[in-house]
Amino acid sequence: MAIQLIMTNKDGTSRAFDIQKDTTTIGRRRSCDLHVAIPAIAPLHCEITHKNGIVKVINCDPDSETLHNGNAIVSADLTNKDRVKVGPVEFTVVINDSETVIRRH
């Protein structure tokens, strides 16, 4: 299973981030797997986990919201084309059951 987070910028360009570990951390802290240097994002904002074919997003900071398809969550299962918003940054989740991933730029 291949998992990507696609971040689309206001100018229409996008960046793809491969999720390759069982747990991927997202936050402002430099040690996070996906480091987002924006003050509105918590040092450890959320995690994307992948176990037994189930992909989840888990909010890690009770003072910061992680949104799943527009709804604030503590944790949520992710499916293809879901949206995860961390502070002002929104990602589209791409889950592909095969290992071939088409990169979009």
Side-chain angles (χ1 to χ4, degrees):
M1 176 180 291
I3 305 163
Q4 287 186 317
L5 298 179
I6 309 294
M7 180 179 69
T8 303
N9 300 312
K10 290 180 182 179
D11 65 3
T13 61
S14 62
R15 289 180 61 189
F17 301 95
D18 293 326
I19 305 299
Q20 297 178 346
K21 296 168 42 176
D22 289 341
T23 300
T24 300
T25 56
I26 301 172
R28 195 174 69 236
R29 188 182 304 153
R30 288 192 181 275
S31 61
C32 286
D33 300 308
L34 186 49
H35 173 240
V36 185
I38 297 174
I41 294 177
L44 177 57
H45 203 102
C46 65
E47 295 177 340
I48 305 290
T49 63
H50 174 235
K51 185 175 181 181
N52 299 327
I54 298 171
V55 182
K56 286 183 170 281
V57 59
I58 301 164
N59 187 50
C60 295
D61 187 322
D63 296 326
S64 300
E65 281 189 336
T66 299
L67 302 180
H68 171 249
N69 295 331
N71 300 306
I73 54 95
V74 173
S75 71
D77 291 349
L78 295 174
T79 59
N80 192 43
K81 300 198 178 179
D82 278 355
R83 292 173 291 111
V84 173
K85 190 169 183 181
V86 179
V89 180
E90 186 170 87
F91 299 97
T92 300
V93 179
V94 176
I95 300 173
N96 190 331
D97 289 332
S98 75
E99 290 300 317
T100 304
V101 176
I102 298 170
R103 294 193 182 276
R104 296 180 205 150
H105 297 282

